[in-house]
Amino acid sequence: MEFAKPLPSYLVTRYHGWKATSYKDNQGWYRRLATEGQRPRAMVISCCDSRVHVTSIFGADQGEFFIHRNIANLVPPFAPDGDHHGTSAAVEYAVTALKVSHLIVLGHSQCGGVQGCIDMCKGNAPQLEEKTSFVGRWMEILRPKFDGVAGIEDPEQQARQFERQAVVASLENLMTFPFIESSVKAGQLSLHGLWTDIGEGGLECYDPKTGLFAPV
Amino acid sequence: MEFAKPLPSYLVTRYHGWKATSYKDNQGWYRRLATEGQRPRAMVISCCDSRVHVTSIFGADQGEFFIHRNIANLVPPFAPDGDHHGTSAAVEYAVTALKVSHLIVLGHSQCGGVQGCIDMCKGNAPQLEEKTSFVGRWMEILRPKFDGVAGIEDPEQQARQFERQAVVASLENLMTFPFIESSVKAGQLSLHGLWTDIGEGGLECYDPKTGLFAPV
Amino acid sequence: MEFAKPLPSYLVTRYHGWKATSYKDNQGWYRRLATEGQRPRAMVISCCDSRVHVTSIFGADQGEFFIHRNIANLVPPFAPDGDHHGTSAAVEYAVTALKVSHLIVLGHSQCGGVQGCIDMCKGNAPQLEEKTSFVGRWMEILRPKFDGVAGIEDPEQQARQFERQAVVASLENLMTFPFIESSVKAGQLSLHGLWTDIGEGGLECYDPKTGLFAPV
Amino acid sequence: MEFAKPLPSYLVTRYHGWKATSYKDNQGWYRRLATEGQRPRAMVISCCDSRVHVTSIFGADQGEFFIHRNIANLVPPFAPDGDHHGTSAAVEYAVTALKVSHLIVLGHSQCGGVQGCIDMCKGNAPQLEEKTSFVGRWMEILRPKFDGVAGIEDPEQQARQFERQAVVASLENLMTFPFIESSVKAGQLSLHGLWTDIGEGGLECYDPKTGLFAPV
């Protein structure tokens, strides 16, 4: 594999800085995490977006959050067809092996994946419609929710609402997994839906009573 | 959706702390990221494991890294079959839409997913062999690499080597994506393979000349 | 121009080393920076002093910081008189064209420029008082702050305090630029004042609540 | 000064990393630099551009280079009129107080300041022509050189050539300073003109015999 390159030097420098400070000051905890294994309290499903790091927003330290990040924080419906399902595998591991107590879906504003789905639904993104588009096929998970926001005229408002609906879709799909449904009913697991506004630093939580998101 | 619950109060507290400090002190940057969009330099593919946060190790701040996290930091081979492929979608978006310059695969010690694959390969995990096991099916991606470590007698050493091979498998699979191969050949993208030791805080980089991992 | 000479060979050697390593390993990023342009998060105003490189202290890599360096990290007051104002031009470009989110003034210990200003203020540097002294005229920017440190008897302590006041003077003068004042008020830009101790590697940040510098 | 903010936390983290590694490993040298003062071998005049750090290209360490950075690496002609001249002050300090042996002007590709000057010279930038534009007035230094590149039709080629002429203009203006002319003639100082290509990592040196730039 001649294509593999050495790590860029600026990252080498930062790593050595981390090793000499954060690691060194917490060595006992790191070693315990290594020998005793992880015991995270929550799983977070968030977007790959470089502007939204749940570890920052929640001040997460080593061992607290089991984090799955994919395009648009989507969870596909339960489909045990023998294929590679990365998101379903992550959820299964968190709930059945690690037995997390909270499962948090975190959406965000200005989501490129959600915008791509809007473009697809409006017929403006033929390249995403192609069978070979991984992003397009992935965003199909969200397509059924478009009817609910199709009537919003302002593009900004429509996108912000659709981003929130991506969180709702994931929560609904999570409940189609038998092991999640049973854990929730047994009071061992609770689900939470969040949406954050990148520019203003806002955070909203899905309220099951109203079906709306409200600032926390 | 009665199952959705309010956010745990300890996270509400932490969020408000972040909003009043990190967000407030960097408001201009957050607003700019919101209006101008992200322009990350690198994509990182790492594990969901709660003990390994690339944002800590590399001091990553908002806007720097596009991060995909799944079980065992695996990338499946290129397979444009029209199904939902979360990892492939994330990679496609990073390389073709965001045009990241670096694609880093970060593996780690004590990986539960890799251990599960070893158990499967040794015939000790019938439940993972079942068609309905998402984790089992996901770890199939790594199975072809088991031959290379099957002869290692010490279980600890075998697991550590197999974790490194998970990184190599992902690098090799990445190169099966046409848009990655062409970007690498055009000098627009470079791939990097890393493995970190949780307990000791070590970091090793795959060296293409020797085929081995060496401390950075 | 017969006076221009070839580059000293030790620098030619170092350049070729950089080209074969740092450049080659990051070629994709350099090419992207060239075609897409820079988008730095912060502007830093620091001293020309060879002992203080902000790129070291903050591990700054290509594209992160827009850096202006002059004698004693000074910013003159807003004066749109049609003359060549290098510092004002740099600040204007950073804030209005690049729209940086942070503007950091970094002062330092053992500053030769600040010491020259002390000598001037005490009447011990007639050569700096001459109209033809560029350094003397430049340091006039700082002179109004001398009253605040004139009573400090120990020369070392007086110099260290005056260096910090050079940072404060620059912050105050920055706020006299209309485009800075408006950006700060709009929450798009924040100012930061720092002072570093060369020998001990210390770093202090100006605290607006106390009017003092405190270790970060 | 309520506008001054705490240092962004990602920079605090990086600083502590630097302190625990680079500083700690070189403490003796830092302390010596503090007590004995700087003795740089060369002064470098380069652009503020975030993509061009001479400390990277030349692997510069603490104490080696006295660095002045302004928009487009320009030096105005000698003009001892009693005003604040930041660049002239930096040059005066380097040559007469520090007695550097080399004075290097480093230009670069994709320079925003040089492009602004082209726009001005072609009458396409009325806002830069205004008396209140600091960038416009600063770029006047380069305007006299436009005649030499006005006939180049391809905009890319024209910009690249004008960037090189900015280096030549600075070298010529440097020789109008009496203390530079005399140091050069006495064999105590040599001037060097460089231009670097950001995307390709190239470095060219002005050759006084041909009047052209050639790769080093």
Side-chain angles (χ1 to χ4, degrees):
Chain A
M1 288 200 298
E2 294 176 20
F3 53 86
K5 292 272 179 65
L7 192 63
S9 59
Y10 80 107
L11 294 181
V12 173
T13 300
R14 289 197 201 170
Y15 158 69
H16 285 298
W18 168 83
K19 179 88 184 286
T21 55
S22 291
Y23 171 76
K24 197 182 161 204
D25 296 340
N26 297 282
Q27 192 176 50
W29 179 238
Y30 281 104
R31 288 184 172 173
R32 218 180 123 191
L33 283 173
T35 54
E36 296 183 3
Q38 61 178 326
R39 199 174 79 165
R41 177 168 175 176
M43 175 183 191
V44 178
I45 297 172
S46 69
C47 187
C48 300
D49 196 298
S50 65
R51 299 168 294 181
V52 182
H53 296 323
V54 70
T55 44
S56 300
I57 296 175
F58 290 142
D61 207 43
Q62 275 59 39
E64 286 200 319
F65 293 150
F66 185 79
I67 303 176
H68 174 58
R69 295 178 68 167
N70 63 32
I71 299 280
N73 36 272
L74 292 177
V75 177
F78 179 67
D81 55 14
D83 273 352
H84 305 320
H85 292 296
T87 297
S88 302
V91 168
E92 182 186 88
Y93 192 79
V95 175
T96 66
L98 298 175
K99 301 188 192 307
V100 295
S101 302
H102 302 280
L103 211 168
I104 300 168
V105 178
L106 173 63
H108 69 95
S109 65
Q110 285 82 36
C111 182
V114 169
Q115 185 58 52
C117 190
I118 291 177
D119 295 342
M120 260 202 317
C121 294
K122 289 185 173 175
N124 298 332
Q127 76 287 1
L128 289 176
E129 301 279 7
E130 287 174 26
K131 189 189 165 192
T132 53
S133 167
F134 291 113
V135 172
R137 298 296 61 67
W138 180 249
M139 295 310 302
E140 291 288 357
I141 297 170
L142 181 56
R143 198 196 277 260
K145 285 280 178 195
F146 188 68
D147 281 353
V149 302
I152 302 176
E153 286 190 20
D154 180 74
E156 285 286 321
Q157 284 190 31
Q158 186 180 48
R160 298 300 83 79
Q161 281 305 322
F162 205 29
E163 287 156 3
R164 291 179 179 92
Q165 287 305 305
V167 174
V168 175
S170 290
L171 290 174
E172 289 173 351
N173 287 342
L174 281 169
M175 284 298 277
T176 64
F177 288 74
F179 53 82
I180 290 186
E181 191 192 18
S182 63
S183 293
V184 168
K185 287 189 174 165
Q188 292 164 343
L189 175 69
S190 60
L191 308 189
H192 311 269
L194 299 175
W195 176 86
T196 181
D197 179 328
I198 291 175
E200 297 308 307
L203 185 67
E204 299 181 4
C205 184
Y206 176 77
D207 180 342
K209 288 170 193 151
T210 62
L212 301 174
F213 284 74
V216 304
Chain B
M1 288 199 297
E2 293 174 22
F3 53 87
K5 291 276 176 60
L7 192 63
S9 60
Y10 80 108
L11 294 181
V12 173
T13 301
R14 289 197 199 170
Y15 158 68
H16 285 298
W18 169 84
K19 179 87 184 286
T21 53
S22 290
Y23 171 75
K24 195 183 161 205
D25 296 340
N26 296 280
Q27 190 177 50
W29 180 238
Y30 281 104
R31 289 183 172 175
R32 221 179 124 190
L33 283 173
T35 55
E36 296 184 4
Q38 61 178 325
R39 195 173 83 163
R41 177 170 176 173
M43 175 183 191
V44 177
I45 297 172
S46 69
C47 187
C48 300
D49 196 297
S50 64
R51 299 167 294 179
V52 182
H53 297 322
V54 70
T55 45
S56 301
I57 296 175
F58 290 141
D61 209 54
Q62 274 59 40
E64 285 200 318
F65 293 152
F66 185 79
I67 303 176
H68 174 58
R69 294 179 68 165
N70 64 32
I71 300 282
N73 37 273
L74 292 178
V75 177
F78 179 68
D81 55 14
D83 273 354
H84 304 322
H85 292 296
T87 298
S88 301
V91 168
E92 181 185 87
Y93 192 78
V95 174
T96 66
L98 297 176
K99 299 187 192 311
V100 296
S101 302
H102 301 280
L103 212 168
I104 299 169
V105 178
L106 173 64
H108 69 96
S109 65
Q110 286 83 37
C111 183
V114 169
Q115 186 57 52
C117 189
I118 291 176
D119 295 343
M120 258 202 320
C121 292
K122 288 186 172 172
N124 298 333
Q127 76 288 1
L128 288 177
E129 301 278 8
E130 287 173 26
K131 188 189 165 193
T132 53
S133 166
F134 292 113
V135 173
R137 300 293 63 68
W138 180 248
M139 295 310 302
E140 291 287 357
I141 297 169
L142 181 55
R143 199 195 276 259
K145 285 280 177 195
F146 188 68
D147 281 354
V149 302
I152 302 174
E153 286 190 18
D154 180 75
E156 284 287 322
Q157 283 190 32
Q158 186 180 47
R160 297 300 84 78
Q161 281 305 322
F162 205 29
E163 288 156 2
R164 291 180 179 93
Q165 287 306 304
V167 174
V168 175
S170 290
L171 290 174
E172 289 173 351
N173 287 343
L174 281 169
M175 283 299 276
T176 64
F177 288 74
F179 53 81
I180 290 185
E181 192 193 18
S182 63
S183 292
V184 167
K185 288 189 174 166
Q188 292 164 343
L189 176 69
S190 59
L191 308 188
H192 311 268
L194 300 175
W195 176 86
T196 181
D197 180 327
I198 291 174
E200 298 308 308
L203 185 66
E204 299 181 4
C205 184
Y206 177 77
D207 181 341
K209 287 170 193 150
T210 62
L212 301 173
F213 285 73
V216 304
Chain C
M1 288 198 297
E2 293 175 21
F3 52 85
K5 292 276 176 61
L7 193 64
S9 60
Y10 81 108
L11 293 181
V12 173
T13 301
R14 289 198 200 169
Y15 158 68
H16 285 298
W18 169 83
K19 179 86 183 285
T21 54
S22 291
Y23 171 75
K24 195 182 162 206
D25 296 339
N26 296 281
Q27 190 177 51
W29 179 238
Y30 281 104
R31 288 183 172 173
R32 220 179 124 191
L33 283 173
T35 55
E36 296 184 3
Q38 61 178 326
R39 194 173 83 164
R41 177 168 175 174
M43 176 185 191
V44 178
I45 297 172
S46 69
C47 187
C48 300
D49 196 297
S50 64
R51 298 167 294 179
V52 182
H53 297 322
V54 70
T55 44
S56 301
I57 296 174
F58 290 142
D61 209 53
Q62 274 60 39
E64 285 200 317
F65 293 151
F66 184 79
I67 304 175
H68 173 59
R69 295 178 67 167
N70 64 33
I71 299 282
N73 37 272
L74 291 178
V75 177
F78 179 66
D81 54 14
D83 273 353
H84 305 322
H85 292 295
T87 297
S88 301
V91 168
E92 181 185 87
Y93 191 78
V95 175
T96 65
L98 298 175
K99 300 186 192 309
V100 296
S101 302
H102 301 281
L103 212 167
I104 299 168
V105 178
L106 172 65
H108 69 96
S109 64
Q110 285 83 37
C111 182
V114 169
Q115 185 58 52
C117 190
I118 291 176
D119 295 342
M120 259 202 318
C121 293
K122 289 184 173 174
N124 299 331
Q127 77 288 0
L128 288 176
E129 301 279 8
E130 287 173 27
K131 187 189 166 193
T132 53
S133 165
F134 292 113
V135 173
R137 299 294 64 68
W138 180 249
M139 295 310 302
E140 291 288 356
I141 298 170
L142 181 56
R143 198 196 278 259
K145 284 282 177 193
F146 188 68
D147 280 354
V149 302
I152 303 175
E153 286 189 20
D154 180 74
E156 284 287 321
Q157 283 190 32
Q158 185 180 48
R160 297 301 85 77
Q161 281 305 322
F162 205 30
E163 288 155 3
R164 291 179 179 93
Q165 288 305 306
V167 174
V168 175
S170 291
L171 290 175
E172 290 173 350
N173 287 343
L174 281 169
M175 284 298 275
T176 64
F177 288 74
F179 54 82
I180 291 185
E181 192 193 18
S182 64
S183 292
V184 167
K185 287 189 174 165
Q188 292 164 344
L189 175 69
S190 60
L191 307 188
H192 311 268
L194 299 175
W195 176 85
T196 181
D197 179 328
I198 291 174
E200 298 308 307
L203 185 67
E204 299 181 4
C205 185
Y206 177 77
D207 180 341
K209 286 170 194 152
T210 62
L212 302 173
F213 284 75
V216 304
Chain D
M1 288 199 297
E2 294 176 20
F3 53 87
K5 292 273 179 66
L7 192 64
S9 58
Y10 80 108
L11 294 181
V12 174
T13 301
R14 289 197 201 170
Y15 158 69
H16 285 298
W18 169 83
K19 179 88 183 286
T21 54
S22 291
Y23 170 76
K24 196 181 162 206
D25 296 340
N26 296 281
Q27 192 175 51
W29 178 239
Y30 281 105
R31 287 183 172 174
R32 218 180 124 192
L33 283 173
T35 54
E36 296 183 3
Q38 61 179 326
R39 199 175 78 168
R41 176 168 175 175
M43 175 185 190
V44 177
I45 297 172
S46 69
C47 186
C48 300
D49 197 297
S50 66
R51 300 167 295 181
V52 182
H53 296 323
V54 69
T55 45
S56 301
I57 297 175
F58 290 142
D61 207 43
Q62 275 60 40
E64 285 200 319
F65 293 150
F66 185 80
I67 303 176
H68 174 58
R69 295 179 69 166
N70 64 33
I71 300 281
N73 37 272
L74 293 177
V75 177
F78 179 67
D81 54 15
D83 273 352
H84 304 321
H85 292 295
T87 298
S88 301
V91 169
E92 181 185 87
Y93 192 79
V95 175
T96 66
L98 299 175
K99 301 188 193 307
V100 296
S101 301
H102 301 279
L103 210 168
I104 299 168
V105 178
L106 172 64
H108 69 96
S109 64
Q110 285 82 36
C111 182
V114 169
Q115 185 58 52
C117 190
I118 291 177
D119 295 342
M120 258 202 319
C121 293
K122 289 185 173 174
N124 298 332
Q127 77 287 2
L128 289 176
E129 301 279 8
E130 287 173 27
K131 188 189 165 193
T132 53
S133 166
F134 293 113
V135 172
R137 299 295 63 67
W138 180 250
M139 295 311 302
E140 291 288 357
I141 298 170
L142 181 55
R143 199 196 276 260
K145 285 281 177 194
F146 188 67
D147 281 353
V149 302
I152 301 175
E153 285 190 20
D154 181 72
E156 285 286 322
Q157 283 190 31
Q158 186 181 48
R160 298 300 84 78
Q161 281 305 322
F162 205 30
E163 287 155 2
R164 291 179 178 93
Q165 287 305 305
V167 175
V168 175
S170 290
L171 291 174
E172 289 173 351
N173 287 342
L174 281 169
M175 284 298 276
T176 64
F177 288 74
F179 53 81
I180 291 185
E181 191 192 18
S182 62
S183 292
V184 168
K185 287 189 174 165
Q188 293 165 342
L189 176 68
S190 60
L191 308 189
H192 311 269
L194 298 176
W195 176 86
T196 181
D197 179 328
I198 291 175
E200 298 308 308
L203 186 67
E204 298 181 5
C205 185
Y206 177 75
D207 181 342
K209 287 170 194 150
T210 62
L212 301 173
F213 284 75
V216 304

